[in-house]
Amino acid sequence: MENEGYDPMRWLNDRGYDAWILEYTVAGSSSIRPIYPKPQEEALEAVRQIRAQDRVRILGIWGWSAGGHLAAVTATSPAAALDFAILAYPVISMEPGTAHMGSMRNLIGEDAQPEIRHQMSAQTRVTSETPPTFIFHTANDDSVSVQNSLLFAASMAAHRCPFEILILPSGPHGVGLALNDLKTSWTEELYRWLQNHTPKP
């Protein structure tokens, strides 16, 4: 929660952005597996509640790892109508060979029907209406393959949607903001992108 929740929230706040943290259903907090579609429903409800406050001009979503999958699925949902997305070393695919097996088991189960695998593979959900997206990964991520980010970027390109992808050559999964690590720090590029894709706070 600190590394991929409170730290990013403070980083955004310091730059004039409002930020909320969504504590959504994960396998560890639920005795029922698979947990689909509960996280997806909770994310859409969070979007609805934030918009109901009528305090933001634009609204985006930022997710990390398995939360990156939830962010990607939400960003590609017409019901969310989000303005931008940030995906940090995200799980994207639910297809065998690319999927992060733990995430797939927890979310949809190993025996999920092909149509559910397809529906929950975020790269298949991209349309021309998908909002601008910033994608970050490291090439040697040994937990969630960088192929996930590449799949999503390829779909964005195929639909001519604005995106930026930053792949650093080396860094562990879960690196977070890496503010004090020159080798894996990436937030300067993210902030430049945010300034170009969001109104000035």
Side-chain angles (χ1 to χ4, degrees):
M1 181 62 78
E2 190 72 24
N3 189 45
E4 298 171 351
Y6 295 121
D7 283 350
M9 180 184 69
R10 286 187 287 263
W11 185 87
L12 287 168
N13 290 164
D14 288 346
R15 286 152 185 81
Y17 295 94
D18 282 348
W20 292 261
I21 296 175
L22 173 63
E23 293 190 46
Y24 59 90
T25 298
V26 296
S29 63
S30 173
S31 59
I32 300 174
R33 300 184 191 185
I35 57 176
Y36 169 83
K38 201 163 184 60
Q40 288 68 40
E41 295 170 345
E42 291 167 348
L44 289 175
E45 176 60 17
V47 169
R48 188 196 66 78
Q49 289 187 24
I50 292 170
R51 289 199 189 281
Q53 296 180 30
D54 196 27
R55 58 181 284 180
V56 295
R57 290 173 291 168
I58 66 169
L59 183 62
I61 192 166
W62 187 347
W64 310 72
S65 193
H69 178 268
L70 180 57
V73 167
T74 306
T76 54
S77 172
L82 290 170
D83 299 291
F84 68 92
I86 303 166
L87 309 178
Y89 36 87
V91 173
I92 293 295
S93 175
M94 289 289 133
E95 298 292 348
T98 309
H100 179 260
M101 294 304 294
S103 297
M104 183 185 72
R105 280 193 294 268
N106 290 333
L107 182 62
I108 61 174
E110 291 187 64
D111 300 324
Q113 294 297 312
E115 54 268 27
I116 295 296
R117 290 183 187 275
H118 182 79
Q119 180 184 349
M120 284 294 101
S121 291
Q123 79 276 12
T124 70
R125 301 166 56 91
V126 174
T127 70
S128 60
E129 302 302 312
T130 300
T133 301
F134 184 97
I135 309 164
F136 165 71
H137 220 120
T138 55
N140 67 344
D141 189 320
D142 62 357
S143 181
V144 175
S145 168
V146 69
Q147 187 65 27
N148 284 271
S149 285
L150 295 173
L151 283 171
F152 197 83
S155 288
M156 293 289 284
H159 288 86
R160 300 183 181 277
C161 298
F163 74 96
E164 179 171 334
I165 184 166
L166 174 62
I167 299 176
L168 298 181
S170 181
H173 188 74
V175 69
L177 296 176
L179 295 176
N180 300 314
D181 185 347
L182 292 177
K183 183 179 178 183
T184 54
S185 179
W186 57 286
T187 52
E188 284 190 17
E189 186 63 19
L190 171 60
Y191 186 44
R192 184 195 65 80
W193 184 87
L194 275 171
Q195 289 178 303
N196 289 333
H197 289 85
T198 63
K200 300 299 182 289

